[in-house]
Amino acid sequence: MIEWISSFKEVTVVFPLDDLQVGTMQALLVTPSLAVVYADGRAFVDKVEPSQFFGGKYYEFVADPAWKIEEVAYEDEYELVDMANELALKIAEEEEPEMVSY
């Protein structure tokens, strides 16, 4: 049985603003390539990968036209972590259903 504890790796996701500037957002890494990105009471799940430009210290978004981004609102960090836990559980149910019990 998988026990979900709220201990996701916190990462910084970088993205280009223009030719000279980069923006950053905080995220909870749910799997090595999926993160819950959040800011100002809004969160979304997106594909990410370690940024080669920054030597893997930061993450960057992975462009995938087939990926549907769903945005949700959250009130506090507990609700955000609950959302990340739900996503992790959903992924586990799809990838390793025998490991999940209720």
PDB file of all heavy atoms in Angstrom, residues 27-28 30-31 33-38 42-48 61 67-72 80 83-84 86-88 91:
ATOM      1  N   ALA A  27       6.789  25.229  -7.923  1.00  0.00           N
ATOM      2  CA  ALA A  27       6.036  24.027  -8.274  1.00  0.00           C
ATOM      3  C   ALA A  27       6.339  22.910  -7.289  1.00  0.00           C
ATOM      4  O   ALA A  27       7.389  22.897  -6.647  1.00  0.00           O
ATOM      5  CB  ALA A  27       6.396  23.590  -9.689  1.00  0.00           C
ATOM      6  N   LEU A  28       5.398  21.978  -7.185  1.00  0.00           N
ATOM      7  CA  LEU A  28       5.595  20.751  -6.427  1.00  0.00           C
ATOM      8  C   LEU A  28       5.763  19.640  -7.455  1.00  0.00           C
ATOM      9  O   LEU A  28       4.864  19.382  -8.259  1.00  0.00           O
ATOM     10  CB  LEU A  28       4.383  20.457  -5.536  1.00  0.00           C
ATOM     11  CG  LEU A  28       4.063  21.488  -4.464  1.00  0.00           C
ATOM     12  CD1 LEU A  28       2.765  21.113  -3.751  1.00  0.00           C
ATOM     13  CD2 LEU A  28       5.195  21.593  -3.459  1.00  0.00           C
ATOM     14  N   VAL A  30       5.526  16.170  -8.692  1.00  0.00           N
ATOM     15  CA  VAL A  30       4.735  14.996  -8.333  1.00  0.00           C
ATOM     16  C   VAL A  30       5.384  13.733  -8.872  1.00  0.00           C
ATOM     17  O   VAL A  30       5.419  12.698  -8.216  1.00  0.00           O
ATOM     18  CB  VAL A  30       3.288  15.149  -8.867  1.00  0.00           C
ATOM     19  CG1 VAL A  30       2.473  13.910  -8.592  1.00  0.00           C
ATOM     20  CG2 VAL A  30       2.633  16.367  -8.233  1.00  0.00           C
ATOM     21  N   THR A  31       5.891  13.792 -10.095  1.00  0.00           N
ATOM     22  CA  THR A  31       6.681  12.711 -10.698  1.00  0.00           C
ATOM     23  C   THR A  31       7.907  13.397 -11.286  1.00  0.00           C
ATOM     24  O   THR A  31       7.966  14.627 -11.312  1.00  0.00           O
ATOM     25  CB  THR A  31       5.899  11.984 -11.820  1.00  0.00           C
ATOM     26  OG1 THR A  31       5.810  12.843 -12.957  1.00  0.00           O
ATOM     27  CG2 THR A  31       4.510  11.552 -11.363  1.00  0.00           C
ATOM     28  N   SER A  33       8.506  14.090 -14.149  1.00  0.00           N
ATOM     29  CA  SER A  33       8.182  14.942 -15.292  1.00  0.00           C
ATOM     30  C   SER A  33       6.836  15.651 -15.183  1.00  0.00           C
ATOM     31  O   SER A  33       6.364  16.232 -16.151  1.00  0.00           O
ATOM     32  CB  SER A  33       8.192  14.099 -16.575  1.00  0.00           C
ATOM     33  OG  SER A  33       7.209  13.091 -16.491  1.00  0.00           O
ATOM     34  N   LEU A  34       6.212  15.645 -13.999  1.00  0.00           N
ATOM     35  CA  LEU A  34       4.913  16.286 -13.822  1.00  0.00           C
ATOM     36  C   LEU A  34       4.923  17.109 -12.545  1.00  0.00           C
ATOM     37  O   LEU A  34       5.347  16.631 -11.497  1.00  0.00           O
ATOM     38  CB  LEU A  34       3.832  15.205 -13.729  1.00  0.00           C
ATOM     39  CG  LEU A  34       2.443  15.542 -14.219  1.00  0.00           C
ATOM     40  CD1 LEU A  34       2.463  15.981 -15.681  1.00  0.00           C
ATOM     41  CD2 LEU A  34       1.547  14.336 -14.059  1.00  0.00           C
ATOM     42  N   ALA A  35       4.476  18.361 -12.650  1.00  0.00           N
ATOM     43  CA  ALA A  35       4.507  19.248 -11.488  1.00  0.00           C
ATOM     44  C   ALA A  35       3.205  20.029 -11.351  1.00  0.00           C
ATOM     45  O   ALA A  35       2.544  20.325 -12.338  1.00  0.00           O
ATOM     46  CB  ALA A  35       5.669  20.234 -11.616  1.00  0.00           C
ATOM     47  N   VAL A  36       2.869  20.343 -10.098  1.00  0.00           N
ATOM     48  CA  VAL A  36       1.774  21.252  -9.806  1.00  0.00           C
ATOM     49  C   VAL A  36       2.420  22.626  -9.645  1.00  0.00           C
ATOM     50  O   VAL A  36       3.150  22.872  -8.691  1.00  0.00           O
ATOM     51  CB  VAL A  36       1.022  20.851  -8.514  1.00  0.00           C
ATOM     52  CG1 VAL A  36      -0.054  21.885  -8.189  1.00  0.00           C
ATOM     53  CG2 VAL A  36       0.405  19.466  -8.655  1.00  0.00           C
ATOM     54  N   VAL A  37       2.188  23.497 -10.615  1.00  0.00           N
ATOM     55  CA  VAL A  37       2.782  24.830 -10.633  1.00  0.00           C
ATOM     56  C   VAL A  37       1.770  25.783 -10.006  1.00  0.00           C
ATOM     57  O   VAL A  37       0.584  25.716 -10.302  1.00  0.00           O
ATOM     58  CB  VAL A  37       3.104  25.258 -12.082  1.00  0.00           C
ATOM     59  CG1 VAL A  37       3.825  26.588 -12.106  1.00  0.00           C
ATOM     60  CG2 VAL A  37       3.931  24.184 -12.790  1.00  0.00           C
ATOM     61  N   TYR A  38       2.249  26.663  -9.120  1.00  0.00           N
ATOM     62  CA  TYR A  38       1.299  27.505  -8.399  1.00  0.00           C
ATOM     63  C   TYR A  38       1.804  28.932  -8.188  1.00  0.00           C
ATOM     64  O   TYR A  38       3.004  29.179  -8.140  1.00  0.00           O
ATOM     65  CB  TYR A  38       0.974  26.889  -7.035  1.00  0.00           C
ATOM     66  CG  TYR A  38       2.187  26.723  -6.139  1.00  0.00           C
ATOM     67  CD1 TYR A  38       2.523  27.701  -5.218  1.00  0.00           C
ATOM     68  CD2 TYR A  38       2.983  25.590  -6.213  1.00  0.00           C
ATOM     69  CE1 TYR A  38       3.620  27.559  -4.394  1.00  0.00           C
ATOM     70  CE2 TYR A  38       4.098  25.441  -5.389  1.00  0.00           C
ATOM     71  CZ  TYR A  38       4.401  26.424  -4.479  1.00  0.00           C
ATOM     72  OH  TYR A  38       5.498  26.281  -3.668  1.00  0.00           O
ATOM     73  N   ARG A  42      -3.736  30.311  -7.665  1.00  0.00           N
ATOM     74  CA  ARG A  42      -4.058  29.535  -8.866  1.00  0.00           C
ATOM     75  C   ARG A  42      -2.976  28.482  -9.050  1.00  0.00           C
ATOM     76  O   ARG A  42      -1.799  28.737  -8.790  1.00  0.00           O
ATOM     77  CB  ARG A  42      -4.112  30.412 -10.116  1.00  0.00           C
ATOM     78  CG  ARG A  42      -4.991  31.634 -10.023  1.00  0.00           C
ATOM     79  CD  ARG A  42      -6.461  31.377  -9.867  1.00  0.00           C
ATOM     80  NE  ARG A  42      -7.022  30.739 -11.038  1.00  0.00           N
ATOM     81  CZ  ARG A  42      -8.235  30.193 -11.046  1.00  0.00           C
ATOM     82  NH1 ARG A  42      -8.978  30.207  -9.965  1.00  0.00           N
ATOM     83  NH2 ARG A  42      -8.714  29.631 -12.133  1.00  0.00           N
ATOM     84  N   ALA A  43      -3.383  27.309  -9.503  1.00  0.00           N
ATOM     85  CA  ALA A  43      -2.422  26.232  -9.733  1.00  0.00           C
ATOM     86  C   ALA A  43      -2.812  25.474 -10.990  1.00  0.00           C
ATOM     87  O   ALA A  43      -3.976  25.437 -11.379  1.00  0.00           O
ATOM     88  CB  ALA A  43      -2.392  25.288  -8.539  1.00  0.00           C
ATOM     89  N   PHE A  44      -1.819  24.863 -11.627  1.00  0.00           N
ATOM     90  CA  PHE A  44      -2.084  24.007 -12.776  1.00  0.00           C
ATOM     91  C   PHE A  44      -1.037  22.909 -12.824  1.00  0.00           C
ATOM     92  O   PHE A  44       0.046  23.029 -12.256  1.00  0.00           O
ATOM     93  CB  PHE A  44      -2.117  24.812 -14.083  1.00  0.00           C
ATOM     94  CG  PHE A  44      -0.840  25.539 -14.407  1.00  0.00           C
ATOM     95  CD1 PHE A  44       0.136  24.943 -15.186  1.00  0.00           C
ATOM     96  CD2 PHE A  44      -0.611  26.822 -13.932  1.00  0.00           C
ATOM     97  CE1 PHE A  44       1.313  25.617 -15.490  1.00  0.00           C
ATOM     98  CE2 PHE A  44       0.556  27.508 -14.229  1.00  0.00           C
ATOM     99  CZ  PHE A  44       1.529  26.898 -15.009  1.00  0.00           C
ATOM    100  N   VAL A  45      -1.395  21.827 -13.483  1.00  0.00           N
ATOM    101  CA  VAL A  45      -0.494  20.694 -13.638  1.00  0.00           C
ATOM    102  C   VAL A  45       0.107  20.778 -15.030  1.00  0.00           C
ATOM    103  O   VAL A  45      -0.607  20.975 -16.013  1.00  0.00           O
ATOM    104  CB  VAL A  45      -1.259  19.361 -13.470  1.00  0.00           C
ATOM    105  CG1 VAL A  45      -0.323  18.180 -13.658  1.00  0.00           C
ATOM    106  CG2 VAL A  45      -1.930  19.312 -12.106  1.00  0.00           C
ATOM    107  N   ASP A  46       1.427  20.630 -15.115  1.00  0.00           N
ATOM    108  CA  ASP A  46       2.069  20.694 -16.421  1.00  0.00           C
ATOM    109  C   ASP A  46       3.282  19.776 -16.449  1.00  0.00           C
ATOM    110  O   ASP A  46       3.815  19.382 -15.408  1.00  0.00           O
ATOM    111  CB  ASP A  46       2.490  22.131 -16.742  1.00  0.00           C
ATOM    112  CG  ASP A  46       2.564  22.399 -18.242  1.00  0.00           C
ATOM    113  OD1 ASP A  46       2.552  21.436 -19.035  1.00  0.00           O
ATOM    114  OD2 ASP A  46       2.626  23.579 -18.625  1.00  0.00           O
ATOM    115  N   LYS A  47       3.715  19.472 -17.656  1.00  0.00           N
ATOM    116  CA  LYS A  47       4.906  18.647 -17.841  1.00  0.00           C
ATOM    117  C   LYS A  47       6.142  19.534 -17.711  1.00  0.00           C
ATOM    118  O   LYS A  47       6.174  20.643 -18.244  1.00  0.00           O
ATOM    119  CB  LYS A  47       4.893  17.988 -19.221  1.00  0.00           C
ATOM    120  CG  LYS A  47       3.814  16.936 -19.358  1.00  0.00           C
ATOM    121  CD  LYS A  47       3.904  16.258 -20.704  1.00  0.00           C
ATOM    122  CE  LYS A  47       2.892  15.148 -20.801  1.00  0.00           C
ATOM    123  NZ  LYS A  47       3.021  14.395 -22.053  1.00  0.00           N
ATOM    124  N   VAL A  48       7.146  19.023 -17.019  1.00  0.00           N
ATOM    125  CA  VAL A  48       8.388  19.761 -16.817  1.00  0.00           C
ATOM    126  C   VAL A  48       9.576  18.820 -16.975  1.00  0.00           C
ATOM    127  O   VAL A  48       9.429  17.601 -16.947  1.00  0.00           O
ATOM    128  CB  VAL A  48       8.441  20.424 -15.414  1.00  0.00           C
ATOM    129  CG1 VAL A  48       7.372  21.490 -15.258  1.00  0.00           C
ATOM    130  CG2 VAL A  48       8.340  19.395 -14.314  1.00  0.00           C
ATOM    131  N   PHE A  61       9.234  24.119 -18.678  1.00  0.00           N
ATOM    132  CA  PHE A  61       8.050  23.464 -19.218  1.00  0.00           C
ATOM    133  C   PHE A  61       8.411  22.668 -20.455  1.00  0.00           C
ATOM    134  O   PHE A  61       9.278  23.061 -21.230  1.00  0.00           O
ATOM    135  CB  PHE A  61       6.971  24.504 -19.561  1.00  0.00           C
ATOM    136  CG  PHE A  61       6.426  25.206 -18.357  1.00  0.00           C
ATOM    137  CD1 PHE A  61       6.696  26.539 -18.128  1.00  0.00           C
ATOM    138  CD2 PHE A  61       5.643  24.528 -17.434  1.00  0.00           C
ATOM    139  CE1 PHE A  61       6.192  27.196 -17.012  1.00  0.00           C
ATOM    140  CE2 PHE A  61       5.135  25.172 -16.310  1.00  0.00           C
ATOM    141  CZ  PHE A  61       5.412  26.504 -16.102  1.00  0.00           C
ATOM    142  N   TRP A  67      -1.052  17.756 -24.536  1.00  0.00           N
ATOM    143  CA  TRP A  67      -1.259  17.864 -23.092  1.00  0.00           C
ATOM    144  C   TRP A  67      -2.278  18.942 -22.788  1.00  0.00           C
ATOM    145  O   TRP A  67      -2.153  20.078 -23.251  1.00  0.00           O
ATOM    146  CB  TRP A  67       0.069  18.184 -22.414  1.00  0.00           C
ATOM    147  CG  TRP A  67      -0.027  18.366 -20.946  1.00  0.00           C
ATOM    148  CD1 TRP A  67       0.070  19.533 -20.270  1.00  0.00           C
ATOM    149  CD2 TRP A  67      -0.226  17.363 -19.957  1.00  0.00           C
ATOM    150  NE1 TRP A  67      -0.063  19.316 -18.932  1.00  0.00           N
ATOM    151  CE2 TRP A  67      -0.246  17.997 -18.702  1.00  0.00           C
ATOM    152  CE3 TRP A  67      -0.409  15.984 -20.011  1.00  0.00           C
ATOM    153  CZ2 TRP A  67      -0.432  17.306 -17.515  1.00  0.00           C
ATOM    154  CZ3 TRP A  67      -0.579  15.286 -18.831  1.00  0.00           C
ATOM    155  CH2 TRP A  67      -0.592  15.946 -17.604  1.00  0.00           C
ATOM    156  N   LYS A  68      -3.284  18.606 -22.003  1.00  0.00           N
ATOM    157  CA  LYS A  68      -4.308  19.579 -21.627  1.00  0.00           C
ATOM    158  C   LYS A  68      -4.006  20.101 -20.222  1.00  0.00           C
ATOM    159  O   LYS A  68      -3.965  19.343 -19.269  1.00  0.00           O
ATOM    160  CB  LYS A  68      -5.691  18.939 -21.655  1.00  0.00           C
ATOM    161  CG  LYS A  68      -6.796  19.915 -21.323  1.00  0.00           C
ATOM    162  CD  LYS A  68      -8.154  19.246 -21.332  1.00  0.00           C
ATOM    163  CE  LYS A  68      -9.203  20.269 -20.949  1.00  0.00           C
ATOM    164  NZ  LYS A  68     -10.463  19.660 -20.583  1.00  0.00           N
ATOM    165  N   ILE A  69      -3.822  21.394 -20.112  1.00  0.00           N
ATOM    166  CA  ILE A  69      -3.537  22.015 -18.820  1.00  0.00           C
ATOM    167  C   ILE A  69      -4.856  22.406 -18.160  1.00  0.00           C
ATOM    168  O   ILE A  69      -5.677  23.075 -18.773  1.00  0.00           O
ATOM    169  CB  ILE A  69      -2.646  23.261 -18.993  1.00  0.00           C
ATOM    170  CG1 ILE A  69      -1.298  22.860 -19.583  1.00  0.00           C
ATOM    171  CG2 ILE A  69      -2.464  23.986 -17.667  1.00  0.00           C
ATOM    172  CD1 ILE A  69      -0.419  24.018 -19.952  1.00  0.00           C
ATOM    173  N   GLU A  70      -5.034  21.948 -16.942  1.00  0.00           N
ATOM    174  CA  GLU A  70      -6.228  22.318 -16.189  1.00  0.00           C
ATOM    175  C   GLU A  70      -5.809  23.199 -15.022  1.00  0.00           C
ATOM    176  O   GLU A  70      -4.939  22.833 -14.248  1.00  0.00           O
ATOM    177  CB  GLU A  70      -6.954  21.080 -15.680  1.00  0.00           C
ATOM    178  CG  GLU A  70      -7.592  20.292 -16.798  1.00  0.00           C
ATOM    179  CD  GLU A  70      -8.505  19.200 -16.284  1.00  0.00           C
ATOM    180  OE1 GLU A  70      -9.106  19.381 -15.225  1.00  0.00           O
ATOM    181  OE2 GLU A  70      -8.583  18.182 -16.969  1.00  0.00           O
ATOM    182  N   GLU A  71      -6.442  24.351 -14.937  1.00  0.00           N
ATOM    183  CA  GLU A  71      -6.118  25.300 -13.870  1.00  0.00           C
ATOM    184  C   GLU A  71      -7.170  25.205 -12.775  1.00  0.00           C
ATOM    185  O   GLU A  71      -8.354  25.042 -13.047  1.00  0.00           O
ATOM    186  CB  GLU A  71      -6.077  26.715 -14.443  1.00  0.00           C
ATOM    187  CG  GLU A  71      -5.559  27.734 -13.461  1.00  0.00           C
ATOM    188  CD  GLU A  71      -5.407  29.103 -14.083  1.00  0.00           C
ATOM    189  OE1 GLU A  71      -4.816  29.194 -15.168  1.00  0.00           O
ATOM    190  OE2 GLU A  71      -5.885  30.075 -13.479  1.00  0.00           O
ATOM    191  N   VAL A  72      -6.716  25.268 -11.532  1.00  0.00           N
ATOM    192  CA  VAL A  72      -7.632  25.221 -10.387  1.00  0.00           C
ATOM    193  C   VAL A  72      -7.255  26.314  -9.395  1.00  0.00           C
ATOM    194  O   VAL A  72      -6.137  26.817  -9.411  1.00  0.00           O
ATOM    195  CB  VAL A  72      -7.593  23.849  -9.666  1.00  0.00           C
ATOM    196  CG1 VAL A  72      -8.084  22.749 -10.575  1.00  0.00           C
ATOM    197  CG2 VAL A  72      -6.207  23.543  -9.156  1.00  0.00           C
ATOM    198  N   LEU A  80      -3.370  23.039  -1.601  1.00  0.00           N
ATOM    199  CA  LEU A  80      -2.435  22.817  -2.693  1.00  0.00           C
ATOM    200  C   LEU A  80      -1.788  21.438  -2.575  1.00  0.00           C
ATOM    201  O   LEU A  80      -1.719  20.687  -3.547  1.00  0.00           O
ATOM    202  CB  LEU A  80      -1.364  23.916  -2.689  1.00  0.00           C
ATOM    203  CG  LEU A  80      -0.311  23.845  -3.782  1.00  0.00           C
ATOM    204  CD1 LEU A  80      -0.948  24.050  -5.155  1.00  0.00           C
ATOM    205  CD2 LEU A  80       0.751  24.903  -3.540  1.00  0.00           C
ATOM    206  N   MET A  83      -4.189  18.698  -3.425  1.00  0.00           N
ATOM    207  CA  MET A  83      -4.331  18.544  -4.864  1.00  0.00           C
ATOM    208  C   MET A  83      -3.165  17.729  -5.431  1.00  0.00           C
ATOM    209  O   MET A  83      -3.355  16.848  -6.265  1.00  0.00           O
ATOM    210  CB  MET A  83      -4.401  19.908  -5.546  1.00  0.00           C
ATOM    211  CG  MET A  83      -4.666  19.797  -7.036  1.00  0.00           C
ATOM    212  SD  MET A  83      -4.807  21.379  -7.865  1.00  0.00           S
ATOM    213  CE  MET A  83      -3.125  21.958  -7.800  1.00  0.00           C
ATOM    214  N   ALA A  84      -1.952  18.006  -4.958  1.00  0.00           N
ATOM    215  CA  ALA A  84      -0.786  17.261  -5.415  1.00  0.00           C
ATOM    216  C   ALA A  84      -0.903  15.791  -5.003  1.00  0.00           C
ATOM    217  O   ALA A  84      -0.574  14.888  -5.779  1.00  0.00           O
ATOM    218  CB  ALA A  84       0.491  17.882  -4.852  1.00  0.00           C
ATOM    219  N   GLU A  86      -3.718  14.110  -4.547  1.00  0.00           N
ATOM    220  CA  GLU A  86      -4.742  13.505  -5.406  1.00  0.00           C
ATOM    221  C   GLU A  86      -4.166  13.166  -6.775  1.00  0.00           C
ATOM    222  O   GLU A  86      -4.453  12.107  -7.330  1.00  0.00           O
ATOM    223  CB  GLU A  86      -5.929  14.447  -5.565  1.00  0.00           C
ATOM    224  CG  GLU A  86      -6.795  14.537  -4.333  1.00  0.00           C
ATOM    225  CD  GLU A  86      -7.930  15.542  -4.489  1.00  0.00           C
ATOM    226  OE1 GLU A  86      -8.343  15.816  -5.634  1.00  0.00           O
ATOM    227  OE2 GLU A  86      -8.392  16.044  -3.449  1.00  0.00           O
ATOM    228  N   LEU A  87      -3.354  14.062  -7.322  1.00  0.00           N
ATOM    229  CA  LEU A  87      -2.730  13.809  -8.615  1.00  0.00           C
ATOM    230  C   LEU A  87      -1.782  12.616  -8.524  1.00  0.00           C
ATOM    231  O   LEU A  87      -1.794  11.735  -9.390  1.00  0.00           O
ATOM    232  CB  LEU A  87      -1.980  15.053  -9.092  1.00  0.00           C
ATOM    233  CG  LEU A  87      -1.196  14.886 -10.387  1.00  0.00           C
ATOM    234  CD1 LEU A  87      -2.143  14.571 -11.547  1.00  0.00           C
ATOM    235  CD2 LEU A  87      -0.392  16.142 -10.679  1.00  0.00           C
ATOM    236  N   ALA A  88      -0.971  12.571  -7.478  1.00  0.00           N
ATOM    237  CA  ALA A  88      -0.032  11.464  -7.308  1.00  0.00           C
ATOM    238  C   ALA A  88      -0.786  10.136  -7.176  1.00  0.00           C
ATOM    239  O   ALA A  88      -0.375   9.120  -7.738  1.00  0.00           O
ATOM    240  CB  ALA A  88       0.848  11.709  -6.085  1.00  0.00           C
ATOM    241  N   ILE A  91      -2.083   9.075 -10.589  1.00  0.00           N
ATOM    242  CA  ILE A  91      -0.986   8.536 -11.407  1.00  0.00           C
ATOM    243  C   ILE A  91      -0.653   7.116 -10.947  1.00  0.00           C
ATOM    244  O   ILE A  91      -0.481   6.214 -11.763  1.00  0.00           O
ATOM    245  CB  ILE A  91       0.258   9.447 -11.317  1.00  0.00           C
ATOM    246  CG1 ILE A  91      -0.037  10.773 -12.014  1.00  0.00           C
ATOM    247  CG2 ILE A  91       1.476   8.778 -11.934  1.00  0.00           C
ATOM    248  CD1 ILE A  91       0.966  11.860 -11.713  1.00  0.00           C
TER     249      ILE A  91
END
